[in-house]
Amino acid sequence: MPISITPPSQLNADLHCHSVVSDGTLTPEALAQRASANGVQLWALTDHDEIGGQHRARAAAHANGMDYLTGTEISVTFADNTVHIVGLGFDPDDEQLAQGLALTRGGRGARAREISRQLEEAGIHDAYEGALKYVGNPELISRTHFARHLVEIGACRDTSEVFRRFLTEGHPGFVPHQWASLSSAVHWIREAGGMAVIAHPARYRFTANEEFALFSEFRKHGGEGVEVVTGSHTPSEYGTYADMAREFGLAASRGSDFHSPQESHTDLGALPPLPQGLTPVWELLGHRIQRRAAAA
């Protein structure tokens, strides 16, 4: 019987999700089980500004029959907005990357205190303490943890309502933060042997000129990929960013951005395949994929 080979663009790769190590609600092990059950063949855990869960995630991927790529999602300030850059296929023990991520995490504590103060003025008391209940890693306290607390106390029906009423620009609890620079984030990833990828570009709501500047600078600094198919993109945006990938000579990535069974609109492994005619990031990262046969 002939062996069936999955075309590269059809591979069920999910290269963007979050665990309790940052702002997800599942452990790396539970995420791996869920991904495998949903048919994922190649998986990456991409916690925010953190690589502490990488060895657990790799072991869990192999135990559940999946290949693995190391991952992280770095917070970057660009044009006075927060942009996320995913790193894939890097050395998880790289010291420069670890130090850069630690510096990026460093301002979250003071920011969280200011978020809590603003929410107090809006009539929501003890928000910092409430958010801490949801934090697996105190260095990574984030707006998502505050949002879960506001849902718990009945201030909002769900986290989507929280972000409509609080924590975003023009509303109580919005505290801007200066994250890493685009050049630094891409440099850390590349020096650690990995590939830098622009995460969910449609979410940033840049003007056409700002978006062109982002892609141009990213490419200039050595960025190599962009998420084309991701949980927050619409089908029409798949086409838009497929065109952007072609225009800038970028490989295409695919990832659900899954955080929680209760909150995420797109489950692990549930996205459509990449559009035809693109180079998948995993083709360029074949030498960095940690194959399940290596688990021992």
Side-chain angles (χ1 to χ4, degrees):
M1 175 180 281
I3 297 173
S4 175
I5 300 175
T6 303
S9 65
Q10 304 295 304
L11 186 75
N12 193 343
D14 198 316
L15 306 181
H16 189 161
C17 68
H18 301 275
S19 76
V20 293
V21 176
S22 64
D23 61 345
T25 63
L26 301 181
T27 64
E29 291 78 11
L31 281 172
Q33 290 174 358
R34 190 180 187 96
S36 178
N38 288 350
V40 173
Q41 298 160 282
L42 174 64
W43 180 55
L45 173 65
T46 57
D47 281 313
H48 289 285
D49 304 315
E50 176 62 87
I51 51 177
Q54 289 304 301
H55 292 294
R56 290 171 61 187
R58 178 183 60 191
H62 290 165
N64 284 275
M66 296 182 294
D67 293 335
Y68 189 72
L69 272 170
T70 52
T72 189
E73 186 176 15
I74 304 179
S75 306
V76 163
T77 299
F78 182 85
D80 296 324
N81 284 278
T82 299
V83 169
H84 291 151
I85 302 298
V86 165
L88 296 171
F90 52 80
D91 175 1
D93 299 313
D94 183 82
E95 190 60 32
Q96 181 178 231
L97 176 60
Q99 290 176 0
L101 295 179
L103 286 172
T104 303
R105 294 194 300 270
R108 287 180 182 265
R111 180 182 184 233
R113 293 287 188 182
E114 177 59 17
I115 290 173
S116 182
R117 186 192 69 76
Q118 291 189 21
L119 292 175
E120 184 83 21
E121 291 182 351
I124 297 171
H125 306 295
D126 302 319
Y128 180 78
E129 290 74 16
L132 278 179
K133 293 190 299 183
Y134 293 93
V135 177
N137 181 348
E139 285 189 342
L140 286 168
I141 187 169
S142 72
R143 294 183 304 163
T144 302
H145 300 119
F146 282 95
R148 290 174 184 149
H149 171 64
L150 266 61
V151 172
E152 178 192 19
I153 65 174
C156 296
R157 291 186 301 275
D158 53 35
T159 54
S160 295
E161 183 184 348
V162 174
F163 285 105
R164 287 195 300 272
R165 294 177 52 197
F166 303 96
L167 307 178
T168 52
E169 190 167 5
H171 299 280
F174 174 70
V175 181
H177 185 75
Q178 187 69 31
W179 304 110
S181 68
L182 180 62
S183 60
S184 292
V186 175
H187 176 76
W188 297 335
I189 294 165
R190 286 174 57 83
E191 287 297 301
M195 175 189 290
V197 177
I198 299 174
H200 42 59
R203 277 182 46 182
Y204 307 128
R205 306 303 177 193
F206 283 140
T207 66
N209 285 341
E210 289 170 335
E211 184 172 73
F212 186 87
L214 169 64
F215 275 72
S216 298
E217 286 203 31
F218 176 74
R219 200 72 179 95
K220 180 181 74 176
H221 293 308
E224 297 177 82
V226 59
E227 285 184 349
V228 172
V229 177
T230 185
S232 57
H233 282 185
T234 64
S236 67
E237 288 166 345
Y238 301 157
T240 297
Y241 291 100
D243 290 342
M244 292 289 279
R246 295 183 188 102
E247 178 180 355
F248 285 89
L250 296 170
S253 194
R254 175 183 190 266
S256 59
D257 197 8
F258 182 84
H259 285 71
S260 164
Q262 291 75 38
E263 298 166 9
S264 297
H265 300 297
T266 304
D267 206 345
L268 287 155
L271 289 166
L274 290 175
Q276 295 293 325
L278 299 176
T279 300
V281 294
W282 49 88
E283 275 199 349
L284 303 183
L285 286 167
H287 63 296
R288 302 295 298 176
I289 294 173
Q290 297 172 38
R291 307 288 178 182
R292 57 190 178 276

